[in-house]
Amino acid sequence: MELLKEYPYLYETHLHTSQASACAHCTGAKMAKACKKAGYTGIIVTDHNWGGNTAVNKTLPWKQWVEEFVKGYEDAAQMGERIGLDVFFGYEAGYDGTEFLIYGLDKQFMLGHPQLRTATIQEQFDLVHSGGGLVVHAHPFREAGYIPGIRLYPEYVDGVEGVNATHSNPRSDSHNHPEFDSKAMAYAEEHGFFLTAGSDIHTTDLLDGGMAFRRRMTSMQDFMSALRNGEDYVMTDGVKWFRKDGSVYKD
């Protein structure tokens, strides 16, 4: 409780909706309501894009695809406005099992940049930066059937997801291997990357992971500035708490 007094603003940074992620089970509105009830200040909706387990028909023309893809976020945002939950847009980009959390782009940027659909990892990095966004390597050391192998791209990411609640929260029923996170933290330290934390949540049965700040984030740009500028925050997998450098803060 003392820790939450210092860092009262909790954000879920890795969340999926059933409108855009085929592996998710609940709509954006339901996810927003569950997160508000659980005490989150805000959430970042990060549905799977065309390179991952998307629920949107990949053969659709680009404009139509984007319009369909953002429906989970828009559903969550509409609910967020009603209940007082900040809802920000992001997405999870997939490259044959290697995945990146893309922060800072929006629907209009996507509509104007259809080349995102065919971009290489390097081209993605440049495109995201041209739009003022950030690329975060999601769960870089996860081992799973859909991941052919561990592939690292330190030259094409800004940060690393160091805490993924599905890896270490005892209530997680998938990918439950805490060493995936410890390896990610060591990798981030080696390259001087900032760390993020999220639950990678797909249902309203939340794991309570995320990042907590001393102040409320006013926008996605504000959140990114906090990361870029080294602002103080703590991270959690829903059970343990970590400082922004990955050291254990509190169990």
Side-chain angles (χ1 to χ4, degrees), residues 143-245:
E143 297 177 22
Y146 73 94
I147 303 175
I150 303 302
R151 297 184 296 167
L152 303 176
Y153 299 90
E155 64 272 43
Y156 303 132
V157 300
D158 300 292
V160 172
E161 185 181 54
V163 179
N164 185 298
T166 64
H167 295 164
S168 54
N169 189 301
R171 291 188 286 111
S172 171
D173 59 5
S174 63
H175 313 304
N176 207 318
H177 295 278
E179 66 272 17
F180 296 163
D181 283 355
S182 59
K183 290 178 180 179
M185 290 180 185
Y187 171 58
E189 181 178 12
E190 177 186 357
H191 293 278
F193 293 134
F194 61 75
L195 290 168
T196 67
S199 297
D200 199 357
I201 198 72
H202 291 68
T203 77
T204 55
D205 185 14
L206 305 180
L207 297 178
D208 303 322
M211 303 172 68
F213 294 82
R214 294 183 183 274
R215 64 179 182 88
R216 189 167 192 157
M217 301 291 108
T218 61
S219 65
M220 195 69 225
Q221 288 66 36
D222 196 21
F223 172 77
M224 293 189 299
S225 293
L227 296 179
R228 289 185 176 114
N229 297 333
E231 194 165 313
D232 191 24
Y233 58 84
V234 292
M235 307 179 292
T236 183
D237 62 2
V239 178
K240 291 185 177 181
W241 289 87
F242 305 85
R243 296 179 179 87
K244 67 176 184 177
D245 64 359

Side-chain angles (χ1 to χ4, degrees), residues 10-17 21 23-24 31 35 40 42-49 52-53 69 86-94 97-103 136-142 146-147 160-167 174-175 181 195-211 213 220 223 227 236-237:
L10 179 64
Y11 293 84
E12 175 59 82
T13 68
H14 192 163
L15 177 148
H16 297 273
T17 76
S21 294
C23 44
M31 296 300 289
C35 287
Y40 285 95
I43 62 176
I44 306 174
V45 177
T46 54
D47 280 313
H48 290 292
N49 78 343
N53 197 16
F69 179 69
D86 297 332
V87 179
F88 304 136
F89 176 73
Y91 64 85
E92 188 167 14
T98 299
E99 295 177 304
F100 305 90
L101 294 167
I102 306 301
Y103 297 136
V136 175
H137 198 150
H139 43 71
F141 290 90
R142 176 182 289 176
Y146 73 94
I147 303 175
V160 172
E161 185 181 54
V163 179
N164 185 298
T166 64
H167 295 164
S174 63
H175 313 304
D181 283 355
L195 290 168
T196 67
S199 297
D200 199 357
I201 198 72
H202 291 68
T203 77
T204 55
D205 185 14
L206 305 180
L207 297 178
D208 303 322
M211 303 172 68
F213 294 82
M220 195 69 225
F223 172 77
L227 296 179
T236 183
D237 62 2

Side-chain angles (χ1 to χ4, degrees), residues 3-172:
L3 183 62
L4 292 177
K5 289 179 182 178
E6 289 187 59
Y7 303 89
Y9 302 101
L10 179 64
Y11 293 84
E12 175 59 82
T13 68
H14 192 163
L15 177 148
H16 297 273
T17 76
S18 58
Q19 285 105 321
S21 294
C23 44
H25 302 282
C26 302
T27 64
K30 289 182 178 180
M31 296 300 289
K33 288 174 70 175
C35 287
K36 176 66 176 180
K37 184 177 180 180
Y40 285 95
T41 304
I43 62 176
I44 306 174
V45 177
T46 54
D47 280 313
H48 290 292
N49 78 343
W50 52 90
N53 197 16
T54 184
V56 184
N57 186 338
K58 298 179 184 180
T59 67
L60 289 174
W62 178 246
K63 182 179 185 299
Q64 188 177 354
W65 191 92
V66 173
E67 293 287 352
E68 291 296 317
F69 179 69
V70 301
K71 285 184 176 179
Y73 157 73
E74 291 175 343
D75 191 34
Q78 289 170 7
M79 179 58 69
E81 286 186 16
R82 287 175 50 193
I83 63 179
L85 180 78
D86 297 332
V87 179
F88 304 136
F89 176 73
Y91 64 85
E92 188 167 14
Y95 288 86
D96 192 25
T98 299
E99 295 177 304
F100 305 90
L101 294 167
I102 306 301
Y103 297 136
L105 304 187
D106 59 17
K107 175 181 172 180
Q108 292 307 313
F109 184 90
M110 294 181 74
L111 286 172
H113 294 80
Q115 62 268 45
L116 283 166
R117 200 174 202 170
T118 56
T120 65
I121 290 173
Q122 178 179 359
E123 290 167 344
Q124 170 184 256
F125 184 69
D126 293 338
L127 278 166
V128 172
H129 276 204
S130 75
L134 292 174
V135 180
V136 175
H137 198 150
H139 43 71
F141 290 90
R142 176 182 289 176
E143 297 177 22
Y146 73 94
I147 303 175
I150 303 302
R151 297 184 296 167
L152 303 176
Y153 299 90
E155 64 272 43
Y156 303 132
V157 300
D158 300 292
V160 172
E161 185 181 54
V163 179
N164 185 298
T166 64
H167 295 164
S168 54
N169 189 301
R171 291 188 286 111
S172 171

